[in-house]
Amino acid sequence: MSILKKLKWKYDNYVNFVSDIWKASKLESKKANMNRLIIYFDILWERIAYCHIVLDYQTLGFAYVRDKKKRRMYLNAKQWHEVDRSLNDYIMSEYKYTKKVDCYKCLKSLFKREILVVEESSKEEIEDFMNRKGFCFAKADIGYGGLAVEKLNYSDFKGIDDFIDYLNKKQYKLLEEVIKQHPDVSRLSPTSINTVRMTTLTDGDGNVHFLQHIIRMSDGTSNVDNITSGGIYTFVDRDGTITSNVATGDNMSYDSRGDIVYEKHPLSKIPFKGYKIPFIKEAEELVEKGCKLNLNYKHLGWDIAITPDGPDLVEVNTQPGYDMIQNYHHVPGENKGKSHRYEEILGIEFKRKNIIFHRGTSFSKTKPEYTKTYNNNKENGYL
């Protein structure tokens, strides 16, 4: 990249950065009932000094959380990134969890539905699978946020050759049987497969710890539960009861983000608080088993579908989001971030002072094994 192109790239990023904060400050100033310029510089300071991006300011409810000490208890982007690279060894693991085929091969026993790896299946096996199933979900090896996934109807193709040509053209690597959802989960949100996101930390002794469970679902206007594709979410406790008064969504627009809040599902009209999600205990057991199948990954987000026969793994994610489990609307009155939970479980401590004058690691206390994993990732380009 030439010097002029680099300068233009930096300039464009700077303009977008300033513009995004200005857009967000309009809405956030109304929430805080404060002058827009004050909120603008507050967002800017949180970003520069404490690595809370604009999305954090809005999702974590910093317009309402005015206590600076309470804000420091929220996990930020820098801490989250460093935790991921300190707990997930992307180099040592034979299976790369950033790739869906590797995930399937490593965690095959946790998938209850039938799945084919396209490149390892014969033409006859693919044809038999589609003749029996009729429909399937085709997935690329790498994809996020519900992208690179497509529901295919075999009757839309001229035959097996046409079908395989399409798979190759779209670079789809997995074919998955369509999940049959538990009726109680479908009743809440009938237009999508609604998954329970379980975020886990595995400590140095191999013990699995669960952070906040979340159920994600469509708002009724889409067929997926991904938040970036029209989904909404709410908190679920460990017995399967929805504890939040509301579900929240994200339209990915800085000047209106945070306004998507529902007390009832917009399509089914079922109130969220108190609704029961079945098989949560069994889902935890499945996830705990998965954590122990590959101890190179100790910080993961597990997406679990609930079927009439129990839980079924949809996929596992490295770098599980830190924003949803700290969403302001789901912990009213507490204003409590999750950084202390990471510290308690992992035996680490985060720096609380601003990072302008404290460059380098975000840890003030860590463990040798975490430092080793972080350095291994760094030396091999996984930062």
Side-chain angles (χ1 to χ4, degrees):
M1 186 183 291
S2 68
I3 294 176
L4 286 177
K5 285 185 177 180
K6 283 184 179 179
L7 289 173
K8 185 180 184 305
W9 178 77
K10 288 185 177 181
Y11 174 78
D12 289 343
N13 280 346
Y14 175 77
V15 169
N16 289 334
F17 171 66
V18 171
S19 175
D20 290 343
I21 294 177
W22 183 246
K23 289 177 184 177
S25 67
K26 180 179 180 180
L27 177 64
E28 299 307 301
S29 64
K30 291 179 180 178
K31 293 178 185 177
N33 194 26
M34 295 177 69
N35 180 275
R36 184 175 182 178
L37 275 177
I38 293 175
I39 294 298
Y40 175 86
F41 285 110
D42 190 33
I43 299 173
L44 183 64
W45 178 248
E46 284 292 333
R47 176 64 184 89
I48 294 173
Y50 297 104
C51 214
H52 277 300
I53 60 176
V54 181
L55 170 62
D56 293 348
Y57 195 97
Q58 297 184 297
T59 303
L60 308 184
F62 280 2
Y64 309 108
V65 183
R66 307 309 302 170
D67 187 323
K68 305 298 183 183
K69 289 183 179 179
K70 284 186 177 180
R71 286 186 181 182
R72 303 291 72 80
M73 299 308 295
Y74 286 82
L75 198 71
N76 64 41
K78 180 178 173 64
Q79 293 165 344
W80 166 73
H81 181 81
E82 194 163 343
V83 164
D84 176 78
R85 295 307 191 264
S86 298
L87 269 68
N88 293 334
D89 197 325
Y90 293 89
I91 308 305
M92 293 300 293
S93 178
E94 175 187 357
Y95 298 100
K96 308 304 179 188
Y97 277 12
T98 52
K99 298 183 177 181
K100 296 185 188 299
V101 173
D102 271 15
C103 281
Y104 170 67
K105 289 180 177 180
C106 182
L107 305 170
K108 190 173 182 178
S109 62
L110 307 183
F111 292 89
K112 307 306 179 186
R113 63 197 178 281
E114 190 174 350
I115 298 176
L116 290 185
V117 179
V118 174
E119 292 178 349
E120 297 178 6
S121 302
S122 67
K123 175 180 175 180
E124 291 73 23
E125 287 172 328
I126 295 173
E127 185 175 27
D128 174 67
F129 177 85
M130 293 309 301
N131 280 331
R132 287 186 291 108
K133 305 301 180 184
F135 292 86
C136 77
F137 278 101
K139 294 183 178 181
D141 203 18
I142 298 175
Y144 305 94
L147 304 176
V149 178
E150 185 178 358
K151 188 176 183 180
L152 301 179
N153 182 350
Y154 192 45
S155 65
D156 291 338
F157 296 86
K158 297 175 183 178
I160 188 60
D161 291 328
D162 185 35
F163 183 74
I164 291 176
D165 285 344
Y166 185 78
L167 298 181
N168 292 333
K169 178 183 177 182
K170 301 287 284 189
Q171 297 185 330
Y172 289 138
K173 304 298 182 182
L174 289 175
L175 300 180
E176 300 188 1
E177 178 184 2
V178 176
I179 294 171
K180 183 180 180 182
Q181 189 162 241
H182 193 287
D184 288 348
V185 182
S186 285
R187 191 175 299 116
L188 181 62
S189 179
T191 64
S192 65
I193 297 298
N194 311 311
T195 59
V196 178
R197 164 61 65 89
M198 294 184 170
T199 302
T200 57
L201 290 171
T202 304
D203 65 27
D205 296 321
N207 300 309
V208 177
H209 302 263
F210 291 92
L211 299 177
Q212 180 63 56
H213 297 341
I214 290 168
I215 183 164
R216 309 181 306 169
M217 68 202 86
S218 167
D219 63 1
T221 63
S222 68
N223 295 316
V224 296
D225 67 351
N226 302 85
I227 306 308
T228 54
S229 303
I232 56 178
Y233 64 94
T234 190
F235 282 12
V236 180
D237 69 13
R238 296 189 66 177
D239 74 354
T241 304
I242 293 179
T243 57
S244 301
N245 292 316
V246 298
T248 53
D250 192 340
N251 62 4
M252 308 306 291
S253 175
Y254 288 116
D255 52 4
S256 59
R257 178 175 274 145
D259 282 345
I260 305 175
V261 179
Y262 303 104
E263 292 184 2
K264 299 179 180 180
H265 190 278
L267 181 62
S268 69
K269 306 304 180 185
I270 294 175
F272 291 108
K273 189 174 179 64
Y275 195 84
K276 191 82 170 183
I277 306 300
F279 290 121
I280 291 297
K281 182 64 176 176
E282 291 79 0
E284 286 188 348
E285 291 170 356
L286 181 144
V287 166
E288 189 165 355
K289 179 182 176 183
C291 289
K292 295 179 179 180
L293 285 174
N294 189 345
L295 290 174
N296 287 301
Y297 294 95
K298 297 182 174 69
H299 181 219
L300 294 167
W302 303 80
D303 293 339
I304 308 295
I306 307 298
T307 77
D309 300 316
D312 188 3
L313 177 62
V314 175
E315 63 182 20
V316 62
N317 303 271
T318 58
Q319 301 185 57
Y322 63 95
D323 51 343
M324 291 193 296
I325 63 173
Q326 301 182 111
N327 186 301
Y328 170 83
H329 289 287
H330 302 296
V331 285
E334 291 184 33
N335 297 344
K336 196 173 183 180
K338 294 291 184 182
S339 65
H340 66 290
R341 286 284 289 136
Y342 282 78
E343 292 174 321
E344 291 167 1
I345 292 168
L346 301 175
I348 62 174
E349 291 179 8
F350 291 115
K351 293 176 180 176
R352 305 295 182 199
K353 296 182 179 180
N354 73 66
I355 63 174
I356 291 179
F357 306 111
H358 296 270
R359 298 291 183 181
T361 178
S362 61
F363 299 145
S364 59
K365 174 186 173 184
T366 186
K367 292 183 175 181
E369 59 265 36
Y370 300 150
T371 302
K372 181 180 178 181
T373 299
Y374 182 87
N375 289 336
N376 194 31
N377 283 321
K378 182 178 181 180
E379 289 166 6
N380 288 276
Y382 268 84
L383 289 187

